[in-house]
Amino acid sequence: MDIPVPFILSNKLIIMDRIIKLLADYKLYLFTFIALSLLTLVSVGLTQIEVASKIAIGIILFIAAIQALILLVFNMHLKYQDKILAIFAGVIFSLIIFLIIITMLDFGNR
Amino acid sequence: MEDTLTLTHRDDSASRIGMWLFIFTELFLFAGLFLVFTVYRTKYHEGFHLAARELNVTIGTINSIILLLSGMTMGISYVAIKKGKVKFTVWMLTLTILLGIIFLVNKYFEWRIKFEHGLYPGSLELIGLSHGDVMFFGLYFFMTGLHALHLIAGLILISIVIVAVIHKRVHQTKYALLENTSLYWHLVDLVWIFLFPLFYLIN
């Protein structure tokens, strides 16, 4: 049985339907934005509470690394690209981390 | 009359790999600067600790959210062009430019406050402070300035993409320019993700 829907209500339903479709199409970017923003706020929050300095620095840098990973994998589409690009990115980041570690080890032993 | 045949070669995959190679070189550039920052932070721990307190965490946080939001609008424009939604793509790209400009305006006010307080490289006030302060603000202006230059380059690129989309040189089946610009814009985001905690949060 067809129940007639008032014009205003049907218009609202169409708009709602469009919004739902829009969110479904672009949800990947919406979710990554929410995740990245929340992680940023967690980092800022950490500086407001009393946590031992070295632990706080470690956690903040770990959060930054997770944010970078989210950005690379989803926003920069490494997940959907040729595997060789993901391997390249992995090697580059490993090299950078290695470079920082050996420099700091050398610096610490002077 | 002789017919002429024009062949154009297009390799989107090669163009994407080229963009990634460029991004890798940029990552090494900033990694070198992060390394310099880490070494001097270890050497002048106290000076860096005190100097970092001069930075406004609230402005830094707002700018971070603005930049992340611009990353989202850029990503949405990429999906929109693939779906053939030209108007929506242009709107999203325009919004990305606006957010980028808001970021730069915030940065301008932040820098201006530092200049008013004489906390800029070469100023008499800064020379009078400890070596740690001099190094911190030197690196702060250089690294955030270099990041801002990258952002300005990104804004110019996005403007070019908008014109290309309007003139149908970038469309549903030919969107490599938009995709590569989007990758570049996310690189700007990626660099800020590390700049923000290093300068504003770790003190």
Side-chain angles (χ1 to χ4, degrees), chain B residues 66-127:
Chain B
I66 288 168
L67 209 56
L68 293 174
L69 192 61
S70 75
M72 184 188 84
T73 53
M74 190 74 215
I76 288 175
S77 75
Y78 168 69
V79 179
I81 197 75
K82 280 170 81 173
K83 287 179 178 289
K85 295 177 178 172
V86 176
K87 259 190 182 177
F88 192 53
T89 307
V90 172
W91 271 112
M92 284 297 113
L93 289 171
T94 311
L95 197 56
T96 310
I97 289 181
L98 273 175
L99 290 165
I101 290 170
I102 293 170
F103 178 93
L104 286 175
V105 169
N106 274 345
K107 191 103 293 256
Y108 163 75
F109 282 116
E110 210 184 352
W111 273 32
R112 204 180 74 170
I113 292 166
K114 299 287 162 293
F115 271 77
E116 279 170 3
H117 292 171
L119 297 170
Y120 57 90
S123 74
L124 289 174
E125 284 91 339
L126 196 61
I127 289 168

Side-chain angles (χ1 to χ4, degrees), chain A residues 25 29 47 60 71 77 81 104, chain B residues 16 42 75 78-79 186 201:
Chain A
D25 287 345
Y29 295 100
T47 60
I60 287 169
L71 205 70
H77 311 132
Q81 304 289 353
M104 292 318 291
Chain B
R16 192 183 305 124
T42 314
Y78 168 69
V79 179
H186 291 308
L201 301 182

Side-chain angles (χ1 to χ4, degrees), chain B residues 4-5 11 33 58 79 98 103 127 140 143 153 159-160 167 177 194:
Chain B
T4 53
L5 180 69
D11 191 343
L33 291 169
T58 311
V79 179
L98 273 175
F103 178 93
I127 289 168
Y140 166 75
M143 289 171 79
S159 308
I160 292 169
H167 287 99
L177 181 65
F194 287 101

Side-chain angles (χ1 to χ4, degrees), chain A residues 1-49:
Chain A
M1 196 170 80
D2 283 338
I3 302 166
V5 180
F7 178 72
I8 294 172
L9 193 62
S10 77
N11 243 8
K12 273 189 177 174
L13 285 173
I14 290 167
I15 292 168
M16 282 296 286
D17 191 48
R18 275 186 188 169
I19 290 170
I20 289 166
K21 273 185 183 164
L22 207 67
L23 287 176
D25 287 345
Y26 307 108
K27 68 180 176 192
L28 174 74
Y29 295 100
L30 191 69
F31 287 158
T32 53
F33 166 67
I34 292 168
L36 292 170
S37 301
L38 282 177
L39 287 169
T40 302
L41 294 176
V42 169
S43 293
V44 175
L46 267 174
T47 60
Q48 307 301 314
I49 54 170

